[in-house]
Amino acid sequence: MTAKVNLNDTAPMTVHFLGNLLTFHIRSVTTGDKFTLIENRTAPGQGAPLHRQADDEAFYVLEGEYEFLLDGTWHRKGVGEALHIAPGTVHAFRNPGKADARMLIINSPGSLHEAFFVDVGDEVEFGQTAFPPMTSPDIPAIVASGLQNRIEILPPAA
């Protein structure tokens, strides 16, 4: 985990985390922490672990397909489809396809997810689309950063 991004910076940034390239096009400091806008590129078979959070989250699929786990049930969403996650909702997502998938993510307020990804992700070149080599995640550090940012990482679904 090597991202050393300044959370008070307004410049767009890209970080890599668990097979996701997250490009923050609108940073939370720019909106007075009302929201952040992220373009997320997910490698085949990758996604986000099961978790719940304190902020609202919305997804809009731009390319490929995503599967979203909401309270124990998987839902498939394709290009042009959207999904809202209310605070406290247990969820995860993954790219079930054989090619990269892409979506927009909005978090409100924006600082919680932004601080989490800055803390646990690896900063890469802005707008990068090639995934760096995967490394073993530091689960205890991810869980601790999540709790600090009101994101509870949960054990994998059975």
Side-chain angles (χ1 to χ4, degrees):
M1 293 181 276
T2 60
K4 302 290 186 246
V5 176
N6 179 350
L7 288 172
N8 293 315
D9 193 349
T10 60
M13 67 171 179
T14 302
V15 296
H16 175 250
F17 178 65
L18 299 178
N20 294 280
L21 287 167
L22 299 119
T23 298
F24 289 76
H25 289 285
I26 301 176
R27 305 275 302 271
S28 62
V29 71
T30 304
T31 67
D33 200 24
K34 290 181 184 79
F35 70 92
T36 188
L37 176 66
I38 307 161
E39 178 184 352
N40 184 48
R41 178 178 296 274
T42 307
Q46 302 302 309
L50 195 63
H51 65 285
R52 72 176 131 231
Q53 67 223 25
D55 55 324
D56 276 283
E57 189 165 43
F59 301 97
Y60 180 81
V61 179
L62 298 170
E63 185 178 326
E65 288 186 319
Y66 282 89
E67 291 177 334
F68 295 90
L69 182 63
L70 301 173
D71 291 325
T73 303
W74 286 101
H75 305 270
R76 190 172 285 233
K77 299 288 181 181
V79 174
E81 292 186 286
L83 183 67
H84 169 250
I85 306 293
T89 303
V90 173
H91 65 287
F93 69 80
R94 65 185 177 204
N95 171 3
K98 296 190 183 314
D100 294 356
R102 235 172 21 99
M103 66 179 160
L104 292 177
I105 304 172
I106 297 172
N107 291 100
S108 178
S111 61
L112 299 175
H113 266 76
E114 188 171 333
F116 173 74
F117 287 122
V118 164
D119 192 29
V120 299
D122 295 315
E123 185 177 11
V124 296
E125 184 179 328
F126 174 70
Q128 179 173 321
T129 59
F131 290 93
M134 290 288 288
T135 58
S136 295
D138 183 345
I139 302 299
I142 292 167
V143 169
S145 179
L147 290 175
Q148 182 178 359
N149 292 292
R150 300 179 63 195
I151 302 168
E152 181 185 7
I153 308 298
L154 301 168

